[in-house]
Amino acid sequence: MGLLLALAIGGITLVSMYYFFPSHGYWMPPYISEYGQAYDKHFMITLIITGVIFFLAQFALAYVVFRYRDTGAKAQYLLGNAKLEMLWTSAAAVLFVGLVLAGHGVWIRAHLEDAPAGAVQIEMWGQQFVWQVRYPGPDGKFGRTVPELMKESTGNPLGIDPEDPVGKDDLVMPVMAVPVNKPVEVILRSKDVIHSFSVRELRLKQDAVPGLENRLHFTASQEGSYEIPCMEICGLGHYQMRSFLQVKPEAEFNQWLAESAAPQ
Ligand SMILES: [Cu+2]
Protein backbone atom coordinates (compact mmCIF):
# COMPACT_ATOMS: atom_id res chain seq x y z
CA MET A 1 0.00 0.00 0.00
CA GLY A 2 2.85 2.39 0.93
CA LEU A 3 4.60 1.61 -2.34
CA LEU A 4 1.42 2.17 -4.37
CA LEU A 5 0.77 5.54 -2.73
CA ALA A 6 4.41 6.60 -3.25
CA LEU A 7 4.19 5.63 -6.93
CA ALA A 8 0.90 7.53 -7.33
CA ILE A 9 2.39 10.69 -5.78
CA GLY A 10 5.48 10.43 -7.99
CA GLY A 11 3.36 9.78 -11.10
CA ILE A 12 1.01 12.73 -10.51
CA THR A 13 4.04 14.97 -9.88
CA LEU A 14 5.74 13.96 -13.13
CA VAL A 15 2.56 14.36 -15.21
CA SER A 16 1.84 17.84 -13.80
CA MET A 17 5.48 18.92 -14.28
CA TYR A 18 5.35 17.73 -17.89
CA TYR A 19 2.07 19.55 -18.50
CA PHE A 20 3.37 22.88 -17.19
CA PHE A 21 6.91 22.85 -18.52
CA PRO A 22 8.02 20.75 -21.53
CA SER A 23 4.56 20.57 -23.19
CA HIS A 24 3.61 24.15 -22.23
CA GLY A 25 0.05 22.80 -22.07
CA TYR A 26 -1.25 25.76 -20.13
CA TRP A 27 -0.41 29.36 -20.87
CA MET A 28 -2.31 32.59 -21.29
CA PRO A 29 -3.17 33.95 -24.75
CA PRO A 30 -0.59 36.37 -26.27
CA TYR A 31 -0.44 39.71 -24.48
CA ILE A 32 -1.57 43.01 -25.99
CA SER A 33 -0.38 45.58 -23.43
CA GLU A 34 2.90 47.22 -22.47
CA TYR A 35 3.00 45.18 -19.27
CA GLY A 36 2.74 41.80 -20.98
CA GLN A 37 6.44 41.07 -21.37
CA ALA A 38 7.31 41.93 -17.76
CA TYR A 39 4.32 40.02 -16.38
CA ASP A 40 5.02 36.90 -18.43
CA LYS A 41 8.67 36.93 -17.36
CA HIS A 42 7.73 37.32 -13.70
CA PHE A 43 5.07 34.64 -14.04
CA MET A 44 7.59 32.21 -15.57
CA ILE A 45 10.21 32.88 -12.85
CA THR A 46 7.55 32.28 -10.17
CA LEU A 47 6.41 29.10 -11.91
CA ILE A 48 9.97 27.76 -12.18
CA ILE A 49 10.78 28.45 -8.51
CA THR A 50 7.50 26.98 -7.25
CA GLY A 51 7.84 24.11 -9.77
CA VAL A 52 11.27 23.09 -8.42
CA ILE A 53 9.98 23.26 -4.83
CA PHE A 54 6.86 21.31 -5.79
CA PHE A 55 8.98 18.61 -7.47
CA LEU A 56 11.36 18.24 -4.50
CA ALA A 57 8.58 18.34 -1.89
CA GLN A 58 6.42 15.76 -3.67
CA PHE A 59 9.32 13.35 -4.14
CA ALA A 60 10.35 13.81 -0.50
CA LEU A 61 6.74 12.99 0.42
CA ALA A 62 6.73 9.89 -1.80
CA TYR A 63 10.06 8.77 -0.26
CA VAL A 64 8.79 9.25 3.31
CA VAL A 65 5.50 7.47 2.53
CA PHE A 66 7.48 4.48 1.20
CA ARG A 67 10.35 4.50 3.72
CA TYR A 68 8.07 4.68 6.77
CA ARG A 69 5.26 2.45 5.48
CA ASP A 70 3.52 0.14 7.93
CA THR A 71 5.74 -2.88 8.54
CA GLY A 72 4.08 -3.97 11.73
CA ALA A 73 6.75 -2.34 13.95
CA LYS A 74 5.81 0.02 16.76
CA ALA A 75 5.67 3.68 15.63
CA GLN A 76 8.15 6.16 17.12
CA TYR A 77 7.07 9.44 18.60
CA LEU A 78 9.04 12.49 17.43
CA LEU A 79 8.70 16.02 18.70
CA GLY A 80 9.79 17.67 15.45
CA ASN A 81 12.83 19.80 14.72
CA ALA A 82 12.60 23.46 15.66
CA LYS A 83 15.76 24.39 13.71
CA LEU A 84 14.47 22.88 10.48
CA GLU A 85 11.05 24.52 10.98
CA MET A 86 12.70 27.91 11.38
CA LEU A 87 14.95 27.32 8.40
CA TRP A 88 12.21 26.55 5.88
CA THR A 89 9.79 29.11 7.27
CA SER A 90 12.37 31.89 6.86
CA ALA A 91 13.43 30.52 3.45
CA ALA A 92 9.78 30.73 2.31
CA ALA A 93 9.47 34.27 3.72
CA VAL A 94 12.64 35.42 1.92
CA LEU A 95 11.40 33.85 -1.31
CA PHE A 96 7.95 35.47 -1.15
CA VAL A 97 9.27 38.91 -0.22
CA GLY A 98 11.91 38.57 -2.97
CA LEU A 99 9.26 37.75 -5.58
CA VAL A 100 7.12 40.70 -4.47
CA LEU A 101 10.13 43.05 -4.72
CA ALA A 102 11.03 41.69 -8.17
CA GLY A 103 7.48 42.24 -9.45
CA HIS A 104 6.41 45.43 -7.74
CA GLY A 105 7.85 47.77 -10.40
CA VAL A 106 5.49 46.74 -13.17
CA TRP A 107 2.53 46.67 -10.75
CA ILE A 108 3.27 50.24 -9.66
CA ARG A 109 3.52 51.33 -13.31
CA ALA A 110 0.03 50.01 -14.12
CA HIS A 111 -1.80 50.79 -10.90
CA LEU A 112 -0.16 53.64 -8.99
CA GLU A 113 1.53 55.86 -11.55
CA ASP A 114 -0.68 58.45 -13.23
CA ALA A 115 -2.06 57.64 -16.65
CA PRO A 116 -0.32 59.49 -19.53
CA ALA A 117 -1.80 62.91 -20.27
CA GLY A 118 -4.66 62.71 -22.76
CA ALA A 119 -5.56 59.10 -21.90
CA VAL A 120 -9.13 58.08 -22.77
CA GLN A 121 -10.98 57.89 -19.46
CA ILE A 122 -13.53 55.16 -18.90
CA GLU A 123 -15.44 54.22 -15.79
CA MET A 124 -16.09 50.51 -15.28
CA TRP A 125 -18.88 49.79 -12.81
CA GLY A 126 -19.44 46.37 -11.32
CA GLN A 127 -22.89 45.37 -10.18
CA GLN A 128 -24.45 41.99 -9.47
CA PHE A 129 -24.13 40.59 -12.20
CA VAL A 130 -23.21 42.91 -15.05
CA TRP A 131 -20.55 45.43 -16.01
CA GLN A 132 -21.63 48.97 -16.90
CA VAL A 133 -19.16 51.08 -18.84
CA ARG A 134 -19.43 54.87 -18.65
CA TYR A 135 -17.86 57.31 -21.12
CA PRO A 136 -17.67 60.99 -20.15
CA GLY A 137 -18.95 62.26 -23.54
CA PRO A 138 -17.58 65.23 -25.53
CA ASP A 139 -16.98 67.38 -22.40
CA GLY A 140 -14.53 64.78 -21.06
CA LYS A 141 -16.09 64.92 -17.58
CA PHE A 142 -18.15 62.38 -15.68
CA GLY A 143 -21.38 63.67 -14.15
CA ARG A 144 -22.17 63.28 -10.46
CA THR A 145 -23.77 59.97 -9.42
CA VAL A 146 -26.38 59.67 -6.67
CA PRO A 147 -27.03 56.22 -5.15
CA GLU A 148 -30.75 57.03 -4.64
CA LEU A 149 -31.18 57.53 -8.40
CA MET A 150 -29.62 54.20 -9.40
CA LYS A 151 -32.47 52.42 -11.10
CA GLU A 152 -32.35 50.03 -14.07
CA SER A 153 -36.11 50.47 -14.72
CA THR A 154 -35.68 54.20 -15.39
CA GLY A 155 -32.70 53.61 -17.66
CA ASN A 156 -30.30 55.13 -15.15
CA PRO A 157 -28.42 52.20 -13.63
CA LEU A 158 -25.54 54.38 -12.41
CA GLY A 159 -27.73 57.09 -10.87
CA ILE A 160 -26.33 59.93 -12.99
CA ASP A 161 -27.77 63.14 -11.52
CA PRO A 162 -29.96 64.92 -14.15
CA GLU A 163 -29.32 68.20 -12.28
CA ASP A 164 -25.62 68.00 -13.09
CA PRO A 165 -25.00 69.51 -16.57
CA VAL A 166 -21.68 67.67 -16.81
CA GLY A 167 -23.49 64.32 -16.79
CA LYS A 168 -25.88 65.15 -19.65
CA ASP A 169 -23.59 63.73 -22.34
CA ASP A 170 -22.36 60.73 -20.32
CA LEU A 171 -22.78 57.45 -22.10
CA VAL A 172 -23.42 54.09 -20.39
CA MET A 173 -22.64 50.98 -22.42
CA PRO A 174 -22.52 47.21 -21.79
CA VAL A 175 -19.13 46.79 -23.51
CA MET A 176 -15.83 48.62 -23.27
CA ALA A 177 -14.50 49.87 -26.60
CA VAL A 178 -11.07 51.51 -26.71
CA PRO A 179 -8.88 52.91 -29.48
CA VAL A 180 -5.84 50.83 -30.44
CA ASN A 181 -2.38 52.17 -29.52
CA LYS A 182 -3.84 54.97 -27.36
CA PRO A 183 -3.47 55.19 -23.59
CA VAL A 184 -6.65 54.34 -21.70
CA GLU A 185 -7.39 54.93 -18.03
CA VAL A 186 -9.98 52.70 -16.38
CA ILE A 187 -11.63 53.86 -13.15
CA LEU A 188 -13.15 50.90 -11.34
CA ARG A 189 -16.23 51.41 -9.20
CA SER A 190 -18.85 49.12 -7.72
CA LYS A 191 -22.53 49.51 -6.86
CA ASP A 192 -22.79 46.67 -4.38
CA VAL A 193 -20.10 44.11 -3.52
CA ILE A 194 -16.48 43.60 -4.56
CA HIS A 195 -16.06 42.64 -8.22
CA SER A 196 -12.84 42.25 -10.14
CA PHE A 197 -11.93 43.58 -13.58
CA SER A 198 -9.64 41.28 -15.48
CA VAL A 199 -8.44 40.94 -19.06
CA ARG A 200 -5.94 38.13 -19.60
CA GLU A 201 -4.55 39.68 -22.78
CA LEU A 202 -3.79 42.94 -20.94
CA ARG A 203 -2.25 40.92 -18.06
CA LEU A 204 -4.22 43.22 -15.74
CA LYS A 205 -6.56 42.49 -12.87
CA GLN A 206 -7.93 44.85 -10.25
CA ASP A 207 -10.81 44.80 -7.79
CA ALA A 208 -13.79 47.15 -8.04
CA VAL A 209 -14.64 48.05 -4.45
CA PRO A 210 -17.79 49.94 -3.35
CA GLY A 211 -16.85 53.45 -2.23
CA LEU A 212 -13.43 53.42 -3.94
CA GLU A 213 -12.23 54.54 -7.35
CA ASN A 214 -9.46 52.14 -8.29
CA ARG A 215 -7.48 53.20 -11.29
CA LEU A 216 -5.32 51.41 -13.83
CA HIS A 217 -4.10 52.32 -17.27
CA PHE A 218 -2.89 50.55 -20.38
CA THR A 219 -2.33 50.88 -24.10
CA ALA A 220 -3.81 48.02 -26.15
CA SER A 221 -1.66 47.17 -29.17
CA GLN A 222 -3.87 44.63 -30.99
CA GLU A 223 -7.35 45.13 -32.40
CA GLY A 224 -9.87 42.50 -31.41
CA SER A 225 -12.44 41.45 -28.84
CA TYR A 226 -11.28 40.24 -25.44
CA GLU A 227 -13.33 38.81 -22.60
CA ILE A 228 -13.72 40.77 -19.33
CA PRO A 229 -14.90 38.19 -16.81
CA CYS A 230 -15.62 39.20 -13.23
CA MET A 231 -12.78 37.61 -11.27
CA GLU A 232 -14.19 37.91 -7.76
CA ILE A 233 -16.91 35.56 -6.59
CA CYS A 234 -19.66 38.14 -6.10
CA GLY A 235 -22.82 36.11 -5.63
CA LEU A 236 -25.04 33.48 -7.25
CA GLY A 237 -24.86 34.94 -10.76
CA HIS A 238 -21.09 35.51 -10.69
CA TYR A 239 -20.48 32.88 -13.37
CA GLN A 240 -22.44 34.88 -15.96
CA MET A 241 -20.92 38.30 -15.19
CA ARG A 242 -18.78 39.31 -18.12
CA SER A 243 -18.32 41.99 -20.72
CA PHE A 244 -15.96 42.51 -23.65
CA LEU A 245 -13.05 44.79 -24.39
CA GLN A 246 -13.23 45.83 -28.02
CA VAL A 247 -10.01 47.31 -29.34
CA LYS A 248 -10.77 49.31 -32.48
CA PRO A 249 -8.89 51.63 -34.86
CA GLU A 250 -9.20 55.18 -33.56
CA ALA A 251 -11.55 56.39 -36.33
CA GLU A 252 -13.83 53.41 -35.82
CA PHE A 253 -13.80 54.01 -32.05
CA ASN A 254 -14.80 57.66 -32.49
CA GLN A 255 -17.55 56.65 -34.89
CA TRP A 256 -18.79 54.01 -32.41
CA LEU A 257 -18.92 56.64 -29.67
CA ALA A 258 -20.79 59.10 -31.89
CA GLU A 259 -23.29 56.48 -33.01
CA SER A 260 -23.86 55.27 -29.47
CA ALA A 261 -24.50 58.84 -28.31
CA ALA A 262 -26.87 59.68 -31.20
CA PRO A 263 -30.22 58.40 -29.84
CA GLN A 264 -29.86 60.30 -26.55
CU1 LIG B 1 -18.82 40.30 -10.05
Side-chain angles (χ1 to χ4, degrees):
M1 199 58 197
L3 178 64
L4 264 183
L5 183 56
L7 284 176
I9 293 171
I12 292 170
T13 308
L14 286 179
V15 169
S16 12
M17 293 296 285
Y18 173 76
Y19 184 65
F20 271 96
F21 293 101
S23 89
H24 226 45
Y26 171 77
W27 197 251
M28 291 167 283
Y31 59 79
I32 59 160
S33 83
E34 66 271 45
Y35 313 115
Q37 197 186 6
Y39 266 110
D40 278 12
K41 191 174 146 215
H42 193 63
F43 204 88
M44 203 49 185
I45 292 172
T46 309
L47 208 54
I48 288 171
I49 293 174
T50 49
V52 168
I53 296 171
F54 173 73
F55 183 82
L56 295 177
Q58 293 305 301
F59 273 90
L61 177 65
Y63 169 75
V64 169
V65 162
F66 177 70
R67 171 78 175 73
Y68 299 101
R69 68 193 182 281
D70 184 11
T71 51
K74 199 168 174 240
Q76 272 182 348
Y77 179 67
L78 291 174
L79 268 174
N81 187 324
K83 260 189 204 156
L84 269 182
E85 295 265 4
M86 283 189 7
L87 185 74
W88 62 56
T89 306
S90 29
V94 167
L95 201 62
F96 279 123
V97 173
L99 280 173
V100 168
L101 288 179
H104 82 301
V106 60
W107 195 89
I108 285 176
R109 261 205 294 149
H111 296 267
L112 295 185
E113 278 179 11
D114 286 342
V120 176
Q121 281 197 316
I122 303 172
E123 269 190 5
M124 184 66 158
W125 287 73
Q127 98 175 59
Q128 289 171 319
F129 298 98
V130 286
W131 290 110
Q132 314 264 10
V133 190
R134 177 157 74 138
Y135 290 84
D139 66 355
K141 290 192 186 107
F142 294 105
R144 187 173 46 233
T145 55
V146 185
E148 289 75 17
L149 296 176
M150 289 177 177
K151 216 165 191 179
E152 282 74 15
S153 57
T154 59
N156 191 4
L158 302 184
I160 299 168
D161 187 353
E163 313 266 284
D164 184 4
V166 166
K168 291 262 188 273
D169 60 352
D170 286 11
L171 198 62
V172 180
M173 306 293 290
V175 294
M176 177 185 282
V178 302
V180 70
N181 292 326
K182 288 269 163 191
V184 173
E185 180 174 41
V186 178
I187 303 155
L188 292 164
R189 304 181 69 176
S190 169
K191 281 173 67 173
D192 37 45
V193 297
I194 300 176
H195 302 275
S196 188
F197 169 84
S198 145
V199 181
R200 292 176 304 172
E201 291 82 355
L202 294 176
R203 301 291 192 270
L204 286 176
K205 180 173 179 291
Q206 171 75 54
D207 281 0
V209 183
L212 293 185
E213 293 185 9
N214 288 339
R215 285 157 193 267
L216 54 88
H217 55 91
F218 61 85
T219 302
S221 58
Q222 283 289 323
E223 288 164 33
S225 182
Y226 309 96
E227 190 186 17
I228 313 176
C230 176
M231 282 287 228
E232 180 77 46
I233 295 184
C234 56
L236 274 180
H238 163 71
Y239 69 95
Q240 62 185 2
M241 179 169 172
R242 66 170 187 172
S243 176
F244 285 89
L245 170 73
Q246 293 174 353
V247 183
K248 300 170 184 283
E250 198 177 5
E252 211 178 291
F253 166 74
N254 289 330
Q255 195 190 346
W256 176 84
L257 263 189
E259 279 168 10
S260 308
Q264 291 188 344

